[in-house]
Amino acid sequence: MQDYITKDALLALGINLGDQDIDSLIAHLNETVEERIGTEITEELDDAQLEELVKLQETASEEEIGQWIATHVPEYEQIVQDNIDIVIGELAESADGINQAV
């Protein structure tokens, strides 16, 4: 899994947790971003492209899959950035509650 959101990004938002808690939060946030990106990508593809991507995921390397997505989803970089921004925005709204919960 790629790190879309890092510890530095959380610290910049004022989220100050212990190492184990912050690592768990980072893993959860990155999974969330990845799921949202995947959902948005699949919405961009037609049925034939989606079937091709599924088959590719079974046999190809991550690099090959990334190249395929870059070719078939030209707005991929924007999709990634939008989803990172949305998750960070949601997190920023609840930063005080996160710090108080620990």
Side-chain angles (χ1 to χ4, degrees):
M1 176 174 29
Q2 184 173 341
D3 286 338
Y4 299 102
I5 299 174
T6 64
K7 183 176 182 177
D8 290 340
L10 297 184
L11 293 173
L13 292 172
I15 296 175
N16 190 14
L17 303 172
D19 286 341
Q20 185 176 2
D21 291 330
I22 205 160
D23 290 343
S24 294
L25 180 58
I26 290 169
H28 171 72
L29 294 171
N30 284 314
E31 286 174 23
T32 300
V33 170
E34 205 162 80
E35 288 171 9
R36 291 180 181 187
I37 290 168
T39 298
E40 206 165 328
I41 286 172
T42 58
E43 290 173 356
E44 295 289 320
L45 302 175
D46 62 34
D47 290 342
Q49 290 173 321
L50 188 55
E51 186 175 322
E52 185 179 345
L53 178 58
V54 168
K55 287 180 183 177
L56 195 62
Q57 288 174 323
E58 294 171 2
T59 60
S61 69
E62 286 192 29
E63 183 178 319
E64 292 169 318
I65 293 168
Q67 290 172 348
W68 187 93
I69 290 172
T71 301
H72 293 85
V73 184
E75 56 281 335
Y76 174 72
E77 293 297 325
Q78 187 62 47
I79 290 170
V80 170
Q81 191 59 54
D82 287 349
N83 282 287
I84 292 170
D85 292 345
I86 290 167
V87 170
I88 287 179
E90 292 169 353
L91 188 64
E93 292 174 4
S94 58
D96 290 338
I98 291 170
N99 286 328
Q100 292 172 2
V102 176

